[in-house]
C-alpha cells in the first residue's frame, strides 16, 4: 500500500501491463489470460488499487460483478478476432502489427454512435469546434483535454474510443476561449456538461481554468460534471491533496447563482458501500451541489430489479437523486452486454414499483439514440397488436419531446434501430421523403 503524509492511500493505477498478473488473481489459466489480453489490445483497460482492493470480491471472480465491470472478458469480441490477436501476442509479433489488427477490429465497433461525429459537432462560422458536442438546444457538452481518462474504465463504456490513443476518434479541447465564444453566440444554451473521460481526473487548478469563465456567462443556469469518481476514487473529494480546494471551487459555482450538478455513475450497489463514498457525498452536498445518479443496464452486472431498487434506495438515503437507467449503447461490445428492450422494461418496472415516490425521480430505460433520448414506457396491446409504447425525453427536434409513439413488439430488439413502426409507415422522427421511391 502506498501512503501519503496524512496516512491515506495515494492513487495507484493498473493498466494493461499489469493485466496478466491481476488475471492470475482471478484464477484464469494461461489460455484464458491470453484471450483476455487479446481483447485488451482493442478495448482499453485501466483500474486502480481502490477498485482492486476494496470493491472486487476476488473469491467470486471472474463472475463477481465489479470484476466484470472493469476487466475485459475473452468473449466480448468475435471469436475469430480474439483468436487472431491472441496468435499475434503468443508469437510476440511487432507492436505495429498487433495495433494494426486491433485497429481493424475497432473499426467494426461503431466507435462514435448516435451521430456524435457527423451530427453533434458544432461550428463557429464554417469551422467545426473541436472537443464540443451540441445535440440538444439547451445543452453543450465540453471535453476538456486533461479530463479524457478515468480513474478506472468500465468494460461497457460507450466512450471507449476516447481512451485508445487514436486522435481521429477522440473528442478533446483546451481552447477555453473558443468554448466561451460559442456559448455566447448561442443564447439558447443554458447548461454545460463537462464530460470525458472524467472531469474529476483533473486537479483543482486545471478544472478551475474551465469552470471560472463559465461563471461569467449570465445565460448559463447550470454546470454539470459527468463523473464516476465517487464510485472508483471517492478519495478525490476527501483525502486527495486538493480535495478541500476542489470543494471550495464547487462552493464558488453555487455562490455565483448557478446550479452545480454531479452526474454520478453508479453501476452496482457495492460501489456505494464504502464509508469513503458516504463521506465524499456529504462533502459534495455540503458545497451546495446536487448529485444525480445514472448508469446503463448491463447484462451480467446489474440486470436484476433488486440491484436497481437497492441502488436507488441507498442513493436516496445518502441524499442523491436517482436520475437515469440507460440502455447499453450501440457501440463497442454491445452484443455482449445488451439486455433486450422488453426485458429492460420489465427490470425497470419491477424496480420502480418496489421503491417509494422519492426514488421515482428516475427515468428509463432510456436510449441515447441519434434522434434523441427515447424512453421505453411499456409493452401493451393496441388494436389487437402487441407494441412498445415509447416517448422522447429529449430530442434533436424539440417538437418531438414528450410525444408518445409506438413500435412493433420485438422480444429480441436491443436498440431503437431494431424496432419497426406500428400503425404507420414511419416513426415521427423519420422524414417522410425517406419513403419516396428512388
Amino acid at each position: 500500500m502506498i501512503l501519503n503524509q496524512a496516512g491515506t492511500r495515494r492513487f495507484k493505477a493498473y493498466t494493461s501491463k499489469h493485466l496478466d498478473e491481476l488475471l492470475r488473481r482471478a484464477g484464469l489459466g494461461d489460455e484464458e489470460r491470453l484471450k483476455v489480453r487479446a481483447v485488451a489490445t482493442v478495448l482499453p483497460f485501466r483500474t486502480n488499487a481502490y477498485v482492486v482492493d476494496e470493491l472486487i470480491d476476488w473469491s467470486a471472480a471472474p463472475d463477481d460483478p465489479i470484476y466484470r465491470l472493469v476487466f475485459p472478458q475473452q468473449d466480448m469480441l468475435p471469436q475469430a478476432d480474439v483468436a487472431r490477436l491472441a496468435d499475434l501476442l503468443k508469437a510476440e509479433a511487432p507492436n505495429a502489427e498487433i495495433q494494426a489488427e486491433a485497429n481493424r477490429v475497432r473499426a467494426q465497433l461503431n466507435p462514435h454512435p448516435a451521430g456524435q461525429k457527423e451530427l453533434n459537432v458544432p461550428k463557429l462560422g464554417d469551422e467545426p469546434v473541436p472537443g464540443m458536442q451540441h445535440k440538444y438546444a439547451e445543452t453543450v457538452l465540453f471535453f476538456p483535454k486533461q479530463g479524457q481518462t478515468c480513474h478506472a474504465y468500465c468494460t461497457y463504456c460507450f466512450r471507449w474510443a476516447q481512451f485508445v490513443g487514436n486522435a481521429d476518434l477522440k473528442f478533446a479541447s483546451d481552447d477555453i476561449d473558443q468554448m466561451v465564444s460559442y456559448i455566447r453566440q448561442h443564447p439558447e444554451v443554458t447548461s454545460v456538461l463537462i464530460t470525458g473521460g472524467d472531469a474529476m481526473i483533473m486537479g483543482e487548478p486545471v478544472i478551475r481554468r474551465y469552470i471560472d469563465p463559465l461563471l461569467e456567462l449570465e445565460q448559463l443556469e447550470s454546470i454539470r460534471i459527468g463523473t464516476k469518481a465517487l464510485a472508483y476514487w471517492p478519495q478525490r473529494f476527501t483525502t486527495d491533496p486538493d480535495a478541500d480546494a476542489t470543494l471550495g471551487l464547487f462552493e464558488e459555482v453555487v455562490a455565483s447563482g448557478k446550479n452545480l450538478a454531479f452526474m454520478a455513475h453508479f453501476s452496482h450497489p457495492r460501489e456505494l458501500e464504502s464509508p469513503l463514498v458516504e463521506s465524499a457525498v456529504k462533502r459534495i452536498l455540503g458545497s451546495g451541489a446536487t448529485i444525480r445518479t445514472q448508469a446503463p443496464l448491463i447484462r451480467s452486472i446489474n440486470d436484476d430489479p433488486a440491484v436497481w431498487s437497492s441502488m436507488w434506495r441507498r442513493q436516496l438515503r445518502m441524499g442523491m437523486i436517482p436520475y437515469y437507467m440507460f440502455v447499453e449503447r450501440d457501440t463497442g461490445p454491445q452484443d455482449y452486454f445488451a439486455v433486450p428492450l422488453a426485458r429492460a422494461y420489465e427490470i425497470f418496472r419491477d424496480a420502480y414499483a418496489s421503491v417509494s415516490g422519492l426514488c421515482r425521480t428516475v427515468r428509463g430505460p432510456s436510449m441515447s439514440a441519434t434522434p434523441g433520448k427515447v424512453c421505453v414506457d411499456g409493452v401493451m396491446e393496441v388494436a389487437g397488436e402487441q407494441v412498445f409504447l415509447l416517448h422522447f425525453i429529449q430530442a434533436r427536434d424539440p417538437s418531438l419531446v414528450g410525444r408518445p409513439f409506438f413500435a412493433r413488439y420485438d422480444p429480441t430488439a436491443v436498440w431503437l434501430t431494431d424496432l419497426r413502426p406500428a400503425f404507420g409507415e414511419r416513426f415521427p422522427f423519420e422524414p417522410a421523403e425517406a419513403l419516396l421511391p428512388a
Side-chain angles (χ1 to χ4, degrees), residues 210-226:
Y210 291 98
I211 287 180
D212 274 351
L214 299 178
L215 303 186
E216 305 301 319
L217 296 174
E218 293 186 7
Q219 72 193 77
L220 291 185
E221 299 168 359
S222 65
I223 296 171
R224 293 183 250 179
I225 295 177

Side-chain angles (χ1 to χ4, degrees), residues 157-220:
C157 183
F158 83 95
R159 290 256 170 82
W160 60 270
Q162 293 289 98
F163 315 132
V164 295
N166 186 334
D168 292 336
L169 296 179
K170 193 172 185 176
F171 284 97
S173 175
D174 60 359
D175 193 334
I176 300 168
D177 291 340
Q178 189 178 54
M179 170 182 66
V180 170
S181 178
Y182 180 84
I183 295 170
R184 287 190 191 278
Q185 292 183 37
H186 290 80
E188 72 275 16
V189 174
T190 59
S191 182
V192 173
L193 170 58
I194 300 174
T195 187
D198 193 322
M200 297 317 304
I201 204 79
M202 297 185 287
E204 184 272 340
V206 179
I207 194 170
R208 176 180 288 278
R209 291 196 346 240
Y210 291 98
I211 287 180
D212 274 351
L214 299 178
L215 303 186
E216 305 301 319
L217 296 174
E218 293 186 7
Q219 72 193 77
L220 291 185

Side-chain angles (χ1 to χ4, degrees), residues 96-408:
E97 188 176 350
I98 295 171
Q99 285 306 308
E101 178 63 18
N103 287 336
R104 184 194 66 79
V105 177
R106 285 189 195 116
Q108 304 172 43
L109 299 179
N110 190 21
H112 283 300
Q116 290 186 105
K117 281 285 190 181
E118 300 83 5
L119 302 176
N120 293 3
V121 177
K123 292 184 177 181
L124 273 173
D126 295 327
E127 293 299 317
V129 182
M132 289 183 70
Q133 292 186 31
H134 192 185
K135 181 176 181 179
Y136 308 126
E138 303 86 358
T139 305
V140 159
L141 277 62
F142 188 76
F143 297 75
K145 181 178 179 181
Q146 300 89 339
Q148 300 315 306
T149 186
C150 298
H151 294 95
Y153 296 150
C154 298
T155 44
Y156 63 71
C157 183
F158 83 95
R159 290 256 170 82
W160 60 270
Q162 293 289 98
F163 315 132
V164 295
N166 186 334
D168 292 336
L169 296 179
K170 193 172 185 176
F171 284 97
S173 175
D174 60 359
D175 193 334
I176 300 168
D177 291 340
Q178 189 178 54
M179 170 182 66
V180 170
S181 178
Y182 180 84
I183 295 170
R184 287 190 191 278
Q185 292 183 37
H186 290 80
E188 72 275 16
V189 174
T190 59
S191 182
V192 173
L193 170 58
I194 300 174
T195 187
D198 193 322
M200 297 317 304
I201 204 79
M202 297 185 287
E204 184 272 340
V206 179
I207 194 170
R208 176 180 288 278
R209 291 196 346 240
Y210 291 98
I211 287 180
D212 274 351
L214 299 178
L215 303 186
E216 305 301 319
L217 296 174
E218 293 186 7
Q219 72 193 77
L220 291 185
E221 299 168 359
S222 65
I223 296 171
R224 293 183 250 179
I225 295 177
T227 183
K228 198 166 168 82
L230 278 168
Y232 282 167
W233 188 251
Q235 295 94 320
R236 177 67 187 85
F237 310 100
T238 57
T239 57
D240 273 10
D242 63 342
D244 290 346
T246 300
L247 272 293
L249 174 60
F250 299 165
E251 291 174 352
E252 291 176 36
V253 175
V254 175
S256 75
K258 302 189 190 305
N259 177 273
L260 177 62
F262 272 73
M263 319 313 290
H265 291 241
F266 290 104
S267 307
H268 192 273
R270 196 181 305 158
E271 297 172 321
L272 296 156
E273 292 175 359
S274 170
L276 284 170
V277 178
E278 187 169 355
S279 177
V281 167
K282 285 180 178 177
R283 297 201 78 199
I284 293 170
L285 295 178
S287 74
T290 59
I291 303 175
R292 296 179 182 268
T293 62
Q294 57 191 30
L297 176 64
I298 301 296
R299 187 176 66 84
S300 81
I301 292 174
N302 58 21
D303 53 337
D304 181 340
V307 168
W308 286 88
S309 60
S310 173
M311 277 202 295
W312 295 338
R313 285 194 184 107
R314 187 156 194 153
Q315 289 161 2
L316 178 68
R317 289 198 301 270
M318 295 170 72
M320 296 183 278
I321 303 167
Y323 190 48
Y324 267 118
M325 174 198 280
F326 289 117
V327 175
E328 170 66 353
R329 283 198 176 188
D330 55 337
T331 181
Q334 182 199 25
D335 292 344
Y336 185 82
F337 286 123
V339 176
L341 297 176
R343 177 59 184 151
Y345 167 69
E346 291 174 353
I347 291 170
F348 179 86
R349 179 199 62 199
D350 292 349
Y352 192 84
S354 67
V355 298
S356 73
L358 290 176
C359 283
R360 293 180 183 174
T361 50
V362 70
R363 298 180 285 186
S366 171
M367 292 175 275
S368 292
T370 301
K373 286 189 173 73
V374 177
C375 188
V376 182
D377 290 325
V379 177
M380 58 194 302
E381 187 172 304
V382 178
E385 182 176 348
Q386 195 172 22
V387 296
F388 286 112
L389 172 63
L390 310 104
H391 86 279
F392 278 96
I393 296 172
Q394 183 60 284
R396 291 185 190 277
D397 177 358
S399 70
L400 294 173
V401 174
R403 283 182 57 183
F405 63 99
F406 297 95
R408 296 175 189 171

Side-chain angles (χ1 to χ4, degrees), residues 52-131:
V52 167
D53 296 335
E54 304 295 335
L55 297 186
I56 294 174
D57 178 0
W58 287 97
S59 68
D63 296 324
D64 175 69
I66 306 300
Y67 174 89
R68 298 181 69 80
L69 184 59
V70 295
F71 279 82
Q73 311 298 314
Q74 60 179 308
D75 49 349
M76 280 172 57
L77 297 174
Q79 185 177 353
D81 292 335
V82 174
R84 279 193 295 272
L85 286 160
D87 287 344
L88 291 173
L89 290 174
K90 193 171 185 177
E92 298 183 353
N95 186 61
E97 188 176 350
I98 295 171
Q99 285 306 308
E101 178 63 18
N103 287 336
R104 184 194 66 79
V105 177
R106 285 189 195 116
Q108 304 172 43
L109 299 179
N110 190 21
H112 283 300
Q116 290 186 105
K117 281 285 190 181
E118 300 83 5
L119 302 176
N120 293 3
V121 177
K123 292 184 177 181
L124 273 173
D126 295 327
E127 293 299 317
V129 182

